[in-house]
Amino acid sequence: MLDQKLKVEAKNPDAETTAFDVVVYGGSSAGVMAGVQAARMGKRVVVIEPGHHLGGLTSGGLGMTDAGNKAVIGGVAREFYQRVKQHYDNDASWTHQTKADYSFYDPAADALFRFEPGLAEKIFNEMAQEAGVKIVLGERLDCAKGMEKHDGRIVEIRMESGLAFTGKIFIDASYEGDLMAGVGVAYHVGREGNSVYGETLNGVQTVNA
């Protein structure tokens, strides 16, 4: 955890800001994984989540992962699912049914892609803590005036509370993309027209066409 504190200059002299190498806005599963990987690479990292739980949809109830070909899932994502499997390898973890009654549990597999949301949140918190990622909950980006750029790069973001974070790299891992939109990254709302990318089947499920 980083305890280096700096004072925000004239715009908000009473607020504090903290300097990091990597600032991740959004505690979604992608945000946590990005923060964990950066911290493991020796960077000072903070993950800022406007809500009060890490993990986004993954810890919010979407516990039946559409894994498809599980062989292509690797890296820190697979590590998450391996930790899920390790948890359910323990008979004491089964409070609602037995392993034998659960068809998705394979004792020979190294990972499990079905889980309870509370377990997902626990694993996200453990991975972040082990890596030394600072987690800040309940802080929402000030979308009106909370972003500062210098020479085309983000240098500071401020929350609605006045708390500010400086960093070398900023990652928008939120679902809304407010940080990217606020600093001028192009975006599109809704489904784009065929002419935008020269496509004719964009968004069409041909099996149902």
Side-chain angles (χ1 to χ4, degrees):
M1 300 300 179
L2 184 67
D3 58 3
Q4 179 184 2
K5 297 288 185 180
L6 301 172
K7 284 290 183 182
V8 180
E9 297 182 357
K11 293 182 180 179
N12 195 347
D14 297 324
E16 284 189 332
T17 184
T18 309
F20 293 89
D21 295 316
V22 180
V23 177
V24 181
Y25 182 68
S28 60
S29 54
V32 177
M33 295 296 98
V36 167
Q37 181 58 38
R40 288 177 177 177
M41 295 171 69
K43 306 304 179 183
R44 298 167 297 169
V45 182
V46 62
V47 173
I48 308 161
E49 165 54 37
H52 298 281
H53 302 274
L54 287 184
L57 290 174
T58 305
S59 63
L62 191 61
M64 187 173 180
T65 307
D66 294 327
N69 181 1
K70 300 175 181 61
V72 303
I73 300 175
V76 286
R78 192 168 196 90
E79 181 183 336
F80 170 84
Y81 294 112
Q82 288 171 334
R83 291 184 181 221
V84 169
K85 172 65 164 43
Q86 290 167 7
H87 172 81
Y88 289 116
D89 281 341
N90 185 352
D91 290 336
S93 299
W94 295 82
T95 57
H96 302 292
Q97 65 184 125
T98 65
K99 285 187 286 190
D101 293 332
Y102 191 62
S103 60
F104 292 108
Y105 178 82
D106 179 1
D110 74 308
L112 181 61
F113 298 86
R114 307 287 192 274
F115 48 84
E116 296 161 287
L119 173 63
E121 185 177 7
K122 179 175 181 290
I123 293 174
F124 283 132
N125 278 293
E126 288 175 348
M127 292 179 72
Q129 183 176 14
E130 291 166 10
V133 177
K134 181 172 181 61
I135 301 297
V136 177
L137 301 176
E139 290 288 351
R140 188 177 301 277
L141 179 68
D142 182 346
C143 294
K145 54 183 185 302
M147 292 147 278
E148 286 192 27
K149 292 197 299 182
H150 180 69
D151 291 336
R153 297 178 64 89
I154 309 172
V155 294
E156 179 182 286
I157 61 174
R158 288 185 299 279
M159 305 298 108
E160 292 176 345
S161 67
L163 186 63
F165 301 85
T166 63
K168 300 174 182 177
I169 298 292
F170 290 80
I171 298 174
D172 189 341
S174 66
Y175 290 115
E176 298 79 13
D178 288 337
L179 175 55
M180 289 191 295
V183 296
V185 175
Y187 64 93
H188 187 89
V189 177
R191 181 172 294 170
E192 72 278 358
N194 295 154
S195 62
V196 176
Y197 299 109
E199 298 174 322
T200 60
L201 295 175
N202 45 318
V204 175
Q205 297 183 33
T206 55
V207 69
N208 297 321

